[in-house]
Amino acid sequence: NCRNRFSAMAEGDGKHEDMVENMILKMREIEGFTGYVICNNNGIVIRYEGRTYDEAVHLVSGVLGLYQKSKLAVTHLLNPEDSAIENIRLKSNDYELVVSQEGNFTMIATQNFHHVTVGDEEEVKEEVVE
């Protein structure tokens, strides 16, 4: 499980750190992947790529609050056994964020959409980081 791997990496487990490195290498091979942020749930950025440290901190501050509110809302809407959130996908006009949380750690992956012009219309081709 990728989430367990990045959780162990943040705790300093060398074996799991290699697994996280391999996971990140595989994510880099996906067309459209532009970066990631790994943080603890207190908002401390542990590792990032594809943005500055200040941008990573700014992103984390918004995403962690949204993730917690989403978990709370889903808990109220569904039965407890059906209310586990594994990840959240947030789309903007230019990119998508995929947020996954495990224990005290959160990973945010960023990917671009690929705009393809066909005739007079623009289509968006999505590449999803799974």
Side-chain angles (χ1 to χ4, degrees), residues 18-120:
D18 290 339
M19 285 192 235
V20 172
E21 285 298 324
N22 290 334
M23 179 185 64
I24 292 170
L25 288 172
K26 288 179 182 178
M27 287 173 32
R28 287 179 184 142
E29 294 172 2
I30 297 171
E31 184 180 358
F33 174 78
T34 60
Y36 68 90
V37 176
I38 298 175
C39 65
N40 70 19
N41 293 341
N42 293 326
I44 306 296
V45 174
I46 298 168
R47 210 169 152 181
Y48 61 95
E49 177 182 305
R51 58 184 31 89
T52 67
Y53 177 77
D54 288 341
E55 291 169 337
V57 169
H58 183 75
L59 176 66
V60 165
S61 68
V63 168
L64 286 179
L66 178 63
Y67 198 93
Q68 293 306 318
K69 289 177 183 176
S70 298
K71 284 174 61 174
L72 182 62
V74 170
T75 301
H76 289 294
L77 293 172
L78 301 174
N79 293 328
E81 61 272 358
D82 296 330
S83 66
I85 294 178
E86 290 187 17
N87 60 53
I88 295 177
R89 292 175 61 186
L90 304 168
K91 293 183 179 184
S92 74
N93 290 333
D94 298 318
Y95 61 90
E96 177 179 34
L97 299 175
V98 180
V99 183
S100 182
Q101 193 173 71
E102 178 67 28
N104 191 38
F105 300 97
T106 301
M107 179 178 226
I108 306 165
T110 308
Q111 58 191 15
N112 285 329
F113 295 117
H114 303 286
H115 298 274
V116 180
T117 304
V118 178
D120 292 336

